[in-house]
Amino acid sequence: MSKAIFITATDTGAGKTIISCAIGLALKKKGLDIGYMKPFQCSGDDMEFICRALGIKDEQELVNPYYAKEPLAPYIAFKRAKVKIDLDKVFNAYKELSRRHEVLIIEGVGGLLAPIKKDYLIADLILDLDVPALIVARAGLGTLNHTLLTQRYALDYGVKVKGVIINNYQGETTAEKTNPDVLKEFLDVPILGIFPRLKNVKSKDGLERLAKTAGKNIDLKALLKTEKPLIRQLIKRDKDFLWHPFTQMQDWLKDEPLIIEEAKGCYLRDSQGKWYLDGVSSLWVNVHGHRKKEIDAAIKRQLNKVAHSTLLGLGNVPSIELAKELIAIAPPGLAKVFYSDSGSSAVEIALKMAYQYWQYLDKAKTRFIHLENAYHGDTIGAVSVGGIDLFHKVYQGLLFESYKADSPYCYRCPEGKSYPLCNFECLERLKEILEKKHSEIAALIIEPLVQGASGMLVWPPGIYKKMAKLCREYNVLLIADEVAVGFGRTGKMFASEWEGVSPDILCLAKGITGGYLPLAATLTTRKMFDGFLGEYKEQKTFFHGHTYTGNPLACAAALANLELFKKEKTLRGLEPKIKFLKEGLERFKGLPNVGDIRQKGLMVGIELVKDRQTKESYPWEEGIGVKVCRKAREYGVLLRPLGNVIVLMPPLSITKEELKQLFDSAYKAIEMVAG
Ligand code: PMP
């Protein structure tokens, strides 16, 4: 890949072409192989001039994929010419040219906000090409304003700016003379050159002067310099100062960790510049991809108003708007939203709410039922209703007691039956507890349809509805923990929709902000809410509230997330992806150590076994899942296993091509490690 630089300007006519040409000529003189690209040209012959000057031999459709006759912004010029712009054509040309040349100079049109397509500006193109930009400014009156506007907007928008070149400098007026020093004071990026006005540059002699002036007046070294990653230092500091979650730090300290520096769409980039597909949505949170314009903008807009104000005794705008939206999309019956900031706290709140609710009904129902293999978070209440020994056993002494019913883990059916002939025998234990103990049971807590953390255990259809019915029969509240399965992961907005269940309490987190900021919500019915109403002196208040409850930035991100679901028809778009993924997973059945493949929507668990016949598990210490995920990294995909289960849970915005990369890499990794 070549080094690429995108030449943009403070305005049209600032001299992008001259500067592109001058830089190209000067670099060529230094013996570098230069490529040039002008993705959009609207009238004129800039492109031809540069190609001639630099001796460019590449095909015209690569150098200039789009040409329009009228001198207008591409958006309108191509619209009037009835040419539909296909950005892939530009990206493919870029890929090809950057493969061919050591340095690729890409020249923009107009300035950063020149529109190309609807909702797509030059700045978006620079971001999508992922190349640094050079800003060409013209010397004179108005330069300070234009240059600072351009640079600030670029940096705010996420464009990397190498620096500024002041062009057309004659040093005659006071404005021109003072421009460089004032700009130096106000800019956040360096001035990489002051370029004089040159006459007759198109002549042979003119080109020679251009090259010479660029060599002398432009800091070409700085222009091409790649930031040296501070990887060694970062790793050392990480190891010196951090304690990572769910991680044996002794291993971590010996290991060579990946450090993520930035992201785009479904990909994460590490501090050495390598891109990886985010195969588990950054731990099951990302929805519409990283750096999603609309969510970025919503957070920035909110930041311009207020970053945080408390919900204890005050309201704030985004939390109100979001509560309304959440109730509008939640299963029927849910009427009130209580905010917090993690899945665990959403669960903690659900448990406390249910417990307190019954006290006001003089029923003293104080116990809970949870399922085997359940995971509801890491705080003490959430761990008390957890069913994964590995995570939960060590804290036994700290926990309150809770009844445990069977989990519908069909691959290892507790009754040794198989669906659908089993007649849901795994519900018997739940029925028994309810029958005997219902008078003391406040609520049943479950992860509907997919028990995530225990290995993506997908439930047989119909069982969730039966659980809900049992709760009604025995007057026990149903808490649906949709922290992992909510916000489209299963193919519907909420997993409860699959079986038409309306829980009494719904816990939400993870995908609620599209994977941007920590926010959680516990939704409940009006009936439960009303149960807490009373005179101040009665002390029926729900005594719970975290400092950052209802944080405006997080709520603004969540609103933008929900808006995107509507605007992009995300759920409808999932159907073909889910089908494609299902087909892709078929092949895994041929791998000898794949015991079970479980999928619901875009949630997948591939359980690896030592012996397929006997379903004998790999010993936990063997770390087979970790090894497979390590291998997948080599193929450019980031995964995180759950014991012997390989999890695939990409952002909902993943494309079919990316999905293919995901399951092809997972397949290869399993084949190599456990094949
Ligand atoms: N409930 C479920 C179902 C979860 O999967 C998780 C996290 N994986 C949690 C609760 C806890 O969420 P958090 O990590 O945000 O506390």
Side-chain angles (χ1 to χ4, degrees):
M1 284 292 278
S2 68
K3 286 188 175 188
I5 181 95
F6 196 104
I7 314 281
T8 186
T10 52
D11 200 353
T12 202
K16 288 186 297 289
T17 306
I18 295 297
I19 296 298
S20 299
C21 187
I23 290 172
L25 288 166
L27 292 175
K28 218 174 152 200
K29 265 200 158 171
K30 287 185 178 290
L32 290 164
D33 170 29
I34 308 298
Y36 169 78
M37 182 180 182
K38 173 115 181 160
F40 301 96
Q41 179 159 319
C42 302
S43 90
D45 60 356
D46 292 354
M47 196 239 336
E48 288 80 357
F49 159 62
I50 292 203
C51 286
R52 240 181 292 121
L54 296 178
I56 298 288
K57 299 272 180 326
D58 299 302
E59 302 84 321
Q60 163 134 11
E61 64 264 30
L62 295 181
V63 177
N64 174 226
Y66 286 100
Y67 179 86
K69 280 201 190 108
E70 292 186 279
L72 296 164
Y75 173 66
I76 187 70
F78 290 100
K79 204 170 173 181
R80 283 166 61 91
K82 299 200 170 30
V83 174
K84 222 173 159 218
I85 294 170
D86 172 9
L87 289 167
D88 277 340
K89 198 170 156 190
V90 174
F91 300 141
N92 290 335
Y94 162 71
K95 262 189 220 148
E96 179 53 26
L97 292 178
S98 64
R99 195 185 60 77
R100 288 184 193 175
H101 301 284
E102 272 175 281
V103 177
L104 180 64
I105 296 169
I106 309 163
E107 190 189 335
V109 267
L112 285 178
L113 299 193
I116 297 173
K117 288 179 76 151
K118 184 140 178 56
D119 294 329
Y120 201 86
L121 312 171
I122 283 287
D124 295 302
L125 178 67
I126 304 176
L127 285 185
D128 283 344
L129 293 173
D130 193 28
V131 293
L134 174 72
I135 298 169
V136 178
R138 45 143 191 83
L141 211 55
T143 299
L144 302 181
N145 179 50
H146 281 145
T147 315
L148 291 173
L149 267 176
T150 303
Q151 182 240 257
R152 290 209 176 157
Y153 183 83
L155 295 186
D156 274 0
Y157 208 64
V159 172
K160 292 172 196 123
V161 182
K162 281 275 179 185
V164 171
I165 289 185
I166 303 173
N167 186 31
N168 238 345
Y169 186 83
Q170 297 178 86
E172 282 167 5
T173 64
T174 313
E176 274 188 65
K177 280 190 217 155
T178 52
N179 278 167
D181 281 343
V182 182
L183 278 176
K184 251 185 231 161
E185 229 178 287
F186 283 87
L187 282 170
D188 299 310
V189 297
I191 295 179
L192 294 183
I194 299 173
F195 206 86
R197 171 176 292 181
L198 296 180
K199 286 199 183 123
N200 299 327
V201 286
K202 294 198 174 174
S203 65
K204 199 161 173 236
D205 166 54
L207 292 181
E208 190 57 35
R209 269 183 293 128
L210 266 183
K212 258 202 191 136
T213 314
K216 206 166 80 191
N217 290 28
I218 296 178
D219 187 346
L220 297 168
K221 242 196 199 150
L223 192 64
L224 294 186
K225 196 170 143 203
T226 2
E227 292 300 321
K228 265 222 178 81
L230 296 169
I231 181 73
R232 286 284 126 229
Q233 194 184 46
L234 280 170
I235 291 178
K236 182 171 181 320
R237 287 183 183 168
D238 181 292
K239 291 184 177 179
D240 283 351
F241 301 115
L242 261 84
W243 188 342
H244 285 262
F246 276 93
T247 303
Q248 177 40 261
M249 289 306 287
Q250 185 169 305
D251 293 340
W252 181 272
L253 294 175
K254 279 189 271 176
D255 208 357
E256 188 74 353
L258 267 193
I259 299 185
I260 299 304
E261 207 171 273
E262 61 177 73
K264 184 106 215 314
C266 291
Y267 290 86
L268 297 162
R269 200 188 73 135
D270 76 1
S271 48
Q272 310 219 57
K274 189 169 172 197
W275 288 92
Y276 297 88
L277 184 63
D278 187 358
V280 289
S281 302
S282 292
L283 220 72
W284 316 358
V285 296
N286 194 276
V287 177
H288 304 287
H290 296 275
R291 295 215 352 243
K292 185 74 181 167
K293 238 190 294 173
E294 290 83 347
I295 307 183
D296 290 359
I299 295 172
K300 285 177 190 167
R301 270 199 309 273
Q302 183 55 40
L303 204 46
N304 289 337
K305 293 180 180 162
V306 56
H308 182 68
S309 91
T310 182
L311 282 200
L312 276 71
L314 294 173
N316 76 52
V317 179
S319 70
I320 297 169
E321 300 294 348
L322 178 61
K324 177 177 163 284
E325 292 299 318
L326 287 173
I327 293 303
I329 58 171
L334 294 165
K336 295 282 174 179
V337 176
F338 193 99
Y339 289 113
S340 58
D341 36 45
S342 71
S344 306
S345 54
V347 166
E348 214 70 36
I349 288 161
L351 298 173
K352 279 176 73 177
M353 252 180 202
Y355 180 90
Q356 193 173 342
Y357 170 73
W358 286 115
Q359 295 189 19
Y360 303 135
L361 297 178
D362 297 326
K363 293 232 165 71
K365 280 155 83 85
T366 56
R367 307 287 298 272
F368 291 91
I369 311 178
H370 68 273
L371 300 187
E372 184 77 49
N373 299 313
Y375 179 84
H376 297 290
D378 301 329
T379 49
I380 296 303
V383 172
S384 298
V385 291
I388 305 177
D389 277 353
L390 175 67
F391 302 160
H392 301 147
K393 214 167 155 189
V394 64
Y395 306 107
Q396 205 64 46
L398 283 176
L399 311 179
F400 60 75
E401 271 186 56
S402 166
Y403 292 106
K404 181 153 63 173
D406 290 335
S407 119
Y409 182 5
C410 294
Y411 179 60
R412 298 181 190 279
C413 175
E415 315 301 330
K417 297 277 163 60
S418 61
Y419 177 81
L421 298 175
C422 62
N423 213 9
F424 297 132
E425 267 187 49
C426 54
L427 282 182
E428 289 308 313
R429 174 85 189 117
L430 175 65
K431 281 185 200 160
E432 194 186 312
I433 302 169
L434 284 170
E435 210 165 85
K436 288 193 186 142
K437 306 284 181 188
H438 63 91
S439 60
E440 59 182 82
I441 290 171
L444 164 70
I445 180 164
I446 45 105
E447 297 157 78
L449 265 55
V450 185
Q451 288 185 287
S454 51
M456 299 295 144
L457 310 183
V458 177
W459 291 2
I463 199 161
Y464 178 35
K465 201 173 178 139
K466 283 198 182 291
M467 287 182 189
K469 193 160 168 269
L470 284 170
C471 286
R472 298 279 171 266
E473 272 171 35
Y474 287 100
N475 197 21
V476 158
L477 297 171
L478 175 66
I479 304 173
D481 173 357
E482 293 221 22
V483 167
V485 293
F487 299 100
R489 295 281 166 205
T490 66
K492 290 195 189 286
M493 186 58 98
F494 299 113
S496 295
E497 291 171 32
W498 284 101
E499 305 200 0
V501 171
S502 285
D504 300 288
I505 304 181
L506 178 69
C507 302
L508 303 173
K510 288 196 188 282
I512 191 171
T513 57
Y516 267 64
L517 287 165
L519 180 74
T522 306
L523 275 58
T524 189
T525 58
R526 178 165 295 280
K527 190 173 165 204
M528 282 202 64
F529 173 81
D530 286 348
F532 287 72
L533 300 180
E535 295 298 321
Y536 181 71
K537 59 177 187 273
E538 288 180 78
Q539 297 188 348
K540 285 169 92 178
T541 303
F542 183 47
F543 292 105
H544 196 110
H546 300 285
T547 311
Y548 281 102
T549 287
N551 172 260
L553 290 176
C555 290
L559 278 165
N561 172 40
L562 295 185
E563 189 56 39
L564 280 165
F565 267 99
K566 283 189 226 161
K567 186 175 136 195
E568 299 191 347
K569 300 186 175 63
T570 308
L571 295 172
R572 203 184 307 161
L574 283 181
E575 281 168 32
K577 295 184 198 179
I578 293 168
K579 189 162 165 275
F580 184 66
L581 178 58
K582 191 168 183 328
E583 288 158 7
L585 290 170
E586 273 300 304
R587 194 154 62 101
F588 287 65
K589 290 182 182 158
L591 290 167
N593 295 85
V594 168
D596 194 22
I597 300 168
R598 302 183 277 270
Q599 182 198 0
K600 185 75 200 168
L602 285 187
M603 301 176 88
V604 173
I606 302 163
E607 182 165 339
L608 305 177
V609 286
K610 208 169 170 80
D611 185 326
R612 190 138 81 172
Q613 227 65 47
T614 61
K615 301 186 182 176
E616 182 194 344
S617 297
Y618 278 100
W620 186 80
E621 317 78 76
E622 208 168 302
I624 189 79
V626 174
K627 286 180 190 154
V628 169
C629 294
R630 264 305 159 110
K631 198 71 194 165
R633 233 188 235 190
E634 290 173 26
Y635 307 134
V637 171
L638 288 184
L639 298 175
R640 182 167 169 91
L642 291 162
N644 299 336
V645 177
I646 307 303
V647 175
L648 311 181
M649 207 199 281
L652 306 189
S653 59
I654 194 165
T655 62
K656 278 195 179 174
E657 293 71 38
E658 291 163 348
L659 263 179
K660 187 160 166 18
Q661 184 195 354
L662 176 63
F663 54 67
D664 281 354
S665 307
Y667 182 92
K668 265 195 290 176
I670 297 174
E671 191 180 36
M672 294 299 284
V673 175

